[in-house]
Amino acid sequence: SSVKSDHSRVSLSGSASTDSGNALRGDSLDESANHNDARWPRQNSLSMKEWDIPYDELKLFEVIGTGRFGTVYRGSWHGAVAVKLLHVQALGDDVTPLDTFKHEVATFRKTRHENLVLFMGACMKPPKLAIVTSLCAGMTLYTHVHLRRDKFNANKSVLVAQQLAQGMGYLHARGIIHKDLKSKNIFLENGKVVITDFGLFSVTKLCFGNNARGDSLGIPPGWLGYLAPELARALRPHASVHLPFSKHTDVYAFGTVWYELLVGEWPFKGQPPEAVIWQVGKGVKQSLANLQASRDIKDILMLCWSFHASDRPDFAHLLSTLEKLPRKRLARSPSHPVQLSRSADS
Ligand code: ADP
Ligand code: MG
């Protein structure tokens, strides 16, 4: 099963978060087990238990925010945690959403990287479905850029982008597609980048019955700028579509984060969603005429935003490009390393 792109479903029939289309094969124990396509091989259901947190053991404090997921609480479970409690409507006899949830949890638990939020476990007994991760300190990149209007100079932008490329490169190497890379899912903790919500996009659709927060197309504000042309073209007014997420669509989204860092806005600022979708789908890009930046820096944007998915670079390539960008201040005063925290967090 070598599927190129991951056809996630906005509706809830089992979707996969990995390139191979089977997030569960990552376990060494499973490799030799019979593969006659049981979706939940025995070994896996056993190992899943290690990640099952009894709901009663969680302490929930205040609500941090509400997203498409449901509600995020500050909580406690052997220390400070973030608990994403999903708003699940009665599942009835349909076990598919639960399978989707477990599937994505299975993906999540495979990740260990400095720039990725730490997954601690999940509550998997309906109707209490929750994902428990470490509590991110600091603020999201979204808050820095769009709410506080903090300025990121080229050096700081590069440091953030490098860490993003490292975390994303790791995810891709593990066969995981983020599907929802955006500044709201990137935390800055004293200059360290922490990426959240990877591979959970289909789970968010568990709670998508309430389109109230989106517009007529059910599109949450700020989401469109991250959508690659092939995704924009697949959008339909009624939510039940397959969106062809892939590593390439993650790279496109990374391009948009790079743009936010450089410009302090989303691309296609102020334009109605229909106009953005139409332009992106046709291959029209946000103009960079007013962006004061070097050729190299603009080239990264244009490459990530390539119309054809296969023309976009991968994260390993992006990382080496970013590392080669000239950084004058760093070169001049090596004894004073740039500290993101100084200007971005204060
Ligand atoms: P979105 O990503 O669209 O903002 P979420 O449901 O993912 O929606 O998050 C809701 C709120 O909870 C946001 O303000 C987000 O910054 C915050 N949040 C999510 N995960 C964490 C975490 N691990 N640590 C701290 N805050 C978090
Ligand atoms: Mg989020």
Side-chain angles (χ1 to χ4, degrees):
S1 62
S2 63
V3 191
K4 256 270 167 63
S5 59
D6 176 11
H7 290 254
S8 300
R9 298 166 190 214
V10 173
S11 68
L12 279 173
S13 9
S15 72
S17 290
T18 68
D19 274 358
S20 65
N22 186 347
L24 308 173
R25 295 273 163 83
D27 283 4
S28 53
L29 283 172
D30 294 338
E31 301 300 355
S32 56
N34 64 13
H35 276 168
N36 38 9
D37 225 3
R39 273 190 68 197
W40 291 98
R42 188 156 290 185
Q43 297 290 6
N44 252 296
S45 15
L46 280 178
S47 56
M48 285 296 283
K49 285 201 180 119
E50 292 173 36
W51 300 98
D52 204 343
I53 299 177
Y55 187 76
D56 316 330
E57 288 187 10
L58 287 175
K59 278 204 199 86
L60 299 187
F61 307 126
E62 78 275 9
V63 171
I64 302 175
T66 304
R68 283 182 314 199
F69 269 104
T71 307
V72 180
Y73 291 84
R74 188 173 69 83
S76 171
W77 188 71
H78 306 287
V81 293
V83 180
K84 305 208 151 190
L85 199 58
L86 306 185
H87 299 152
V88 190
Q89 287 101 16
L91 291 176
D93 292 335
D94 183 8
V95 294
T96 319
L98 186 61
D99 272 0
T100 306
F101 177 71
K102 290 189 174 173
H103 204 91
E104 300 204 327
V105 166
T107 305
F108 214 158
R109 71 186 169 148
K110 290 195 302 178
T111 57
R112 289 160 179 275
H113 189 277
E114 174 94 31
N115 299 115
L116 300 179
V117 75
L118 179 67
F119 170 75
M120 297 180 69
C123 303
M124 289 185 271
K125 276 210 192 69
K128 299 291 189 200
L129 296 185
I131 293 166
V132 182
T133 64
S134 58
L135 186 70
C136 296
M139 287 174 281
T140 63
L141 190 60
Y142 164 82
T143 302
H144 281 294
V145 168
H146 299 278
L147 301 182
R148 295 169 44 112
R149 311 228 127 252
D150 292 335
K151 294 282 174 264
F152 288 75
N153 64 28
N155 285 349
K156 275 190 278 174
S157 300
V158 168
L159 289 176
V160 170
Q162 280 179 346
Q163 297 177 68
L164 278 176
Q166 261 157 4
M168 291 300 300
Y170 170 91
L171 279 183
H172 284 184
R174 309 232 65 186
I176 299 167
I177 298 165
H178 190 304
K179 301 182 195 169
D180 201 14
L181 182 62
K182 55 178 188 177
S183 53
K184 285 187 174 181
N185 283 336
I186 300 164
F187 279 84
L188 288 184
E189 298 182 335
N190 286 321
K192 191 178 91 171
V193 166
V194 179
I195 304 171
T196 66
D197 290 344
F198 30 91
L200 294 175
F201 193 80
S202 314
V203 157
T204 71
K205 300 305 169 192
L206 277 171
C207 339
F208 211 64
N210 50 341
N211 259 347
R213 279 162 45 91
D215 55 22
S216 57
L217 288 167
I219 295 165
W223 184 50
L224 274 182
Y226 302 101
L227 282 190
E230 62 270 28
L231 295 176
R233 293 167 84 103
L235 282 181
R236 295 291 177 274
H238 302 289
S240 195
V241 287
H242 298 248
L243 290 179
F245 288 106
S246 66
K247 290 178 182 174
H248 310 293
T249 62
D250 278 352
V251 171
Y252 185 97
F254 169 87
T256 299
V257 175
W258 182 233
Y259 180 85
E260 290 175 84
L261 282 165
L262 299 170
V263 179
E265 301 284 356
W266 279 301
F268 302 106
K269 183 194 167 200
Q271 298 195 38
E274 292 78 2
V276 178
I277 293 169
W278 189 85
Q279 291 177 83
V280 171
K282 289 272 181 216
V284 178
K285 298 185 186 88
Q286 163 70 47
S287 154
L288 303 184
N290 294 325
L291 170 57
Q292 303 277 321
S294 70
R295 183 79 261 148
D296 310 338
I297 283 179
K298 292 188 182 187
D299 280 350
I300 296 177
L301 267 177
M302 284 304 150
L303 279 174
C304 292
W305 283 347
S306 295
F307 181 76
H308 295 290
S310 57
D311 291 340
R312 294 174 210 146
D314 61 21
F315 281 107
H317 182 92
L318 281 167
L319 190 59
S320 73
T321 307
L322 288 163
E323 278 165 355
K324 282 184 211 131
L325 288 178
R327 265 168 292 163
K328 297 178 191 108
R329 256 186 68 221
L330 275 181
R332 240 187 284 138
S333 55
S335 52
H336 296 96
V338 169
Q339 290 214 338
L340 267 177
S341 50
R342 288 287 149 72
S343 37
D345 288 348
S346 59

